[in-house]
Amino acid sequence: MADEYHLAGDRVRGDQLSLGLVVKLDPPSAVSELTPGDRFLLEDSSLEGRLEACGSGSATVLLWREGASRPERTTWALSTSVRRLRG
């Protein structure tokens, strides 16, 4: 996986201009190592998310799926491998 990523909001149709929203990716780590509010990319995919809360056994994350009209909230294992997005 590359160390740079184009945010979902910047992947547009061919007839629109790109804003050039590129961010750096941290090395892979467990979702439990993030701070609430941190944005991330699921390791080995293009699924973007944000950590909402981290409990003793699971993490609540908000996900932006391509083609979805709104984000979805779900629960993940604390060991899920992600790459934090750096602005």
Side-chain angles (χ1 to χ4, degrees):
M1 176 176 275
D3 289 330
E4 291 185 337
Y5 178 73
H6 284 270
L7 294 174
D10 195 41
R11 288 180 296 213
V12 295
R13 299 186 321 256
D15 60 342
Q16 293 180 334
L17 294 176
S18 169
L19 297 175
L21 301 175
V22 177
V23 294
K24 300 276 185 202
L25 296 172
D26 282 357
S29 65
V31 74
S32 63
E33 295 180 25
L34 302 179
T35 303
D38 281 350
R39 299 278 303 267
F40 62 83
L41 190 66
L42 181 62
E43 178 64 4
D44 295 328
S45 81
S46 60
L47 184 61
E48 291 178 43
R50 181 179 69 216
L51 179 63
E52 294 285 298
C54 203
S56 61
S58 63
T60 302
V61 296
L62 192 64
L63 302 175
W64 288 271
R65 294 188 189 275
E66 221 171 305
S69 60
R70 47 195 297 177
E72 76 179 59
R73 188 169 279 113
T74 189
T75 304
W76 281 359
L78 295 176
S79 60
T80 303
S81 185
V82 297
R83 295 186 72 179
R84 188 167 78 90
L85 301 175
R86 278 198 192 273

